[in-house]
Amino acid sequence: MQFGIFTVGDVTPDPTKGTTPSEGDRIKAMVTIALKAEEVGLDVFATGEHHNPPFVPSSPTTMLGYIAARTEKLLLSTATTLITTNDPVKIAEDYAMLQHLADGRVDLMMGRGNTGPVYPWFGQDIRNGIPLAIENYSLLHKLWREEVVDWKGRFRTPLQSFTSTPRPLDGVPPFVWHGSIRSPEIAEQAAYYGDGFFANHIFWPKEHTQRMVGLYRERFGHYHGSPDQAIVGLGGQVFMRRNSQDAVREFRPYFDNAPVYGHGPSLEDFTRETPLTVGSPQQVIDRTLGFRDYVGDYQRQLFLMDHAGLPLKVVLEQLDLLGEEVVPVLRKEFAKNRPADVPEAPTHASLVAAAAAAASPEVVA
Amino acid sequence: MTQRTIAVVSGGLRQPSSSRLLADKLAAATGEELTRLGVTPKIEVIELRDHAHEIVDNLLTGFPASAFAKVVETVAAADGLVAVSPIFTASYSGLFKSFVDLLPDGSLAGKPVLIGATGGTARHSLALDHALRPLFAYTRSIVVPTGVFAAAEDWAGEEAVERLDKRSRRGAAELAAEVARREPAAVEDPFALRTSFEDLLAGD
């Protein structure tokens, strides 16, 4: 099982100090956080993509390429790549390029984005969110798998004899996850292609996750034989201190003023209603192990650690706790009673091996 | 005997609240009319005041807290709705509107609704037809022709109350008739897949 962090990349004032980092500070902080993730033994760093303030990560492959050069093992991903407003041709090229530079340590997560005004800036309309996600991904899927593409669709200029360059590393496209909170069409899309499904699992009740993962598994079984072979990822949000009361006291002002849920429910209400956990490392371990009860054995767990204006220093302390005290226990406990045929999340190496096996089945047999 | 559920939403803020009194009156009359039509009524009363914080939280977070989700479900699953708001500044109260804003799209479509309102004087009574009726028309619910308005004076004196009872019975009879002649309400599952992937790919 893979463990990691995902970041929204928000520039939010620190409510306890009234200070706001510059965009430059925040971008550098995101890089520092990614490097720390590798240092403390996490597997994955995923960045969001946004094209409006107060968010900085508009150019994920630039950031991930830079991080790739400064890390050895960390898998670089997105949460999410906007499949609706990006040109699928550019996604195909950018991430194939990143694959080469990062020696295959790349996958990505497709998402629609939920900010209405962004769509028209890129010539689109939010009411076409699902059709855009379906059509654009179908083209992206083809561009990575077919050398020469002739294509015509509803949203993009047609392609004649087009070859996306560079070709994917070793002829194997990056693994793709599809993220959605409550659109059954996206669970269906992930199942249809045999791709992964990622439930955001923060800011929302667990019932959303349970229903969406249930649908994805059922449809995966329909298309590929067995619901247990589906590839499931979950988000999560935690804040920890050794003493749980310290965690609550320190996090409360950030919670109360956070984008998305600030000035709304109490911290206590929100931790009860959503997977947010604020407390000791042991409480985080117990809560996280409970996720399996409603989604089954799964492949990837990402935590949101750095939003709502938390200072970089605090985030790095959080990552120490996560990497040193929480994740090692989670790895051990999640491995217990895990059926042997539950797959790991695909990596570049496993996809290359699978492609080779498919090309020469007699070698495997 | 068949059974039908009537959700009764009262937007009154004071306790005791005249909106709640009117809502109870309309609920009781609807129950009697349904019984007369051979239908067993099940009445579910919802005081919005009890859910005021949850309503604002839902507006901010985008999801209903679990206790409030049950309230929303009760309305969505009801066979008929009695909706009563106090009239504040020429229209339904903000809390009442916020609650209607949080009902899932389509959840009131085809649902018979009896509207009621309360206010200090009868001068506010047209708010029923200028504010509540168009609001529920937008939700594609079936608003029965009679709306019941109760001003402070309608609670004072035997004759006034008799006239209010008469209007209530007329509205209740209209609601009960609409509810009784319909199949039970069906609730849509928002997580159900409605289109095949082939159709999605084809752009349908």
Side-chain angles (χ1 to χ4, degrees), chain A residues 134 138 182 184 188-189 192-193 203-205 208 211-212 215 219 223 260 263-265 270 273-274, chain B residues 56-57 60-67 189-198 200-203:
Chain A
I134 300 292
S138 123
R182 53 182 168 185
E188 168 73 1
Q189 181 187 34
Y192 176 85
Y193 288 102
F203 308 156
W204 300 88
H208 280 119
R211 292 296 311 274
M212 290 293 285
L215 174 64
R219 298 300 294 166
Y223 288 115
V260 184
H263 310 286
F270 207 68
E273 297 286 341
T274 78
Chain B
V56 174
D57 289 350
L60 295 178
T61 63
F63 69 87
S66 42
D189 177 1
F191 294 100
L193 197 60
R194 282 182 197 84
T195 321
S196 78
F197 197 72
E198 284 68 26
L200 284 174
L201 266 182

Side-chain angles (χ1 to χ4, degrees), chain A residues 288-310:
Chain A
T288 307
L289 288 172
F291 297 168
R292 179 162 60 169
D293 296 342
Y294 53 87
V295 299
D297 287 294
Y298 62 109
Q299 283 73 23
R300 175 176 288 185
Q301 174 65 52
L302 301 183
F303 292 100
L304 175 67
M305 308 295 290
D306 70 332
H307 91 140
L310 286 169

Side-chain angles (χ1 to χ4, degrees), chain A residues 253-327:
Chain A
Y254 296 95
F255 177 89
D256 285 345
N257 294 286
V260 184
Y261 49 74
H263 310 286
S266 69
L267 175 60
E268 287 72 14
D269 285 345
F270 207 68
T271 47
R272 189 180 60 242
E273 297 286 341
T274 78
L276 169 66
T277 307
V278 181
S280 66
Q282 189 58 46
Q283 283 173 300
V284 169
I285 289 168
D286 292 344
R287 189 92 186 266
T288 307
L289 288 172
F291 297 168
R292 179 162 60 169
D293 296 342
Y294 53 87
V295 299
D297 287 294
Y298 62 109
Q299 283 73 23
R300 175 176 288 185
Q301 174 65 52
L302 301 183
F303 292 100
L304 175 67
M305 308 295 290
D306 70 332
H307 91 140
L310 286 169
L312 176 60
K313 179 171 169 289
V314 172
V315 175
L316 298 178
E317 289 163 6
Q318 293 294 306
L319 291 175
D320 277 329
L321 286 171
L322 187 68
E324 286 162 17
E325 298 189 20
V326 173
V327 165

Side-chain angles (χ1 to χ4, degrees), chain A residues 108-140:
Chain A
L108 62 166
M109 188 200 304
M110 301 300 165
R112 300 200 304 283
N114 57 5
T115 317
V118 173
Y119 283 72
W121 296 331
F122 295 90
Q124 302 298 350
D125 179 337
I126 194 169
R127 289 169 300 178
N128 290 329
I130 297 272
L132 278 163
I134 300 292
E135 177 176 307
N136 285 348
Y137 184 65
S138 123
L139 173 56
L140 174 60

Side-chain angles (χ1 to χ4, degrees), chain A residues 92-207:
Chain A
E93 295 173 341
D94 282 346
Y95 286 87
M97 175 69 100
L98 181 61
Q99 254 194 325
H100 284 273
L101 292 172
D103 299 313
R105 287 186 284 130
V106 175
D107 62 28
L108 62 166
M109 188 200 304
M110 301 300 165
R112 300 200 304 283
N114 57 5
T115 317
V118 173
Y119 283 72
W121 296 331
F122 295 90
Q124 302 298 350
D125 179 337
I126 194 169
R127 289 169 300 178
N128 290 329
I130 297 272
L132 278 163
I134 300 292
E135 177 176 307
N136 285 348
Y137 184 65
S138 123
L139 173 56
L140 174 60
H141 194 264
K142 194 188 269 283
L143 289 167
W144 275 336
R145 286 164 178 82
E146 295 174 25
E147 190 95 18
V148 181
V149 170
D150 292 336
W151 179 90
K152 204 166 101 184
R154 185 175 151 203
F155 297 110
R156 188 198 189 283
T157 199
L159 296 170
Q160 283 298 324
S161 303
F162 178 75
T163 298
S164 164
T165 62
R167 301 306 301 150
L169 178 66
D170 304 318
V172 171
F175 185 69
V176 168
W177 305 75
H178 299 263
S180 177
I181 295 165
R182 53 182 168 185
S183 299
E185 295 91 341
I186 300 301
E188 168 73 1
Q189 181 187 34
Y192 176 85
Y193 288 102
D195 293 341
F197 180 77
F198 188 90
N200 141 301
H201 205 230
I202 52 173
F203 308 156
W204 300 88
K206 73 173 199 303
E207 286 73 22

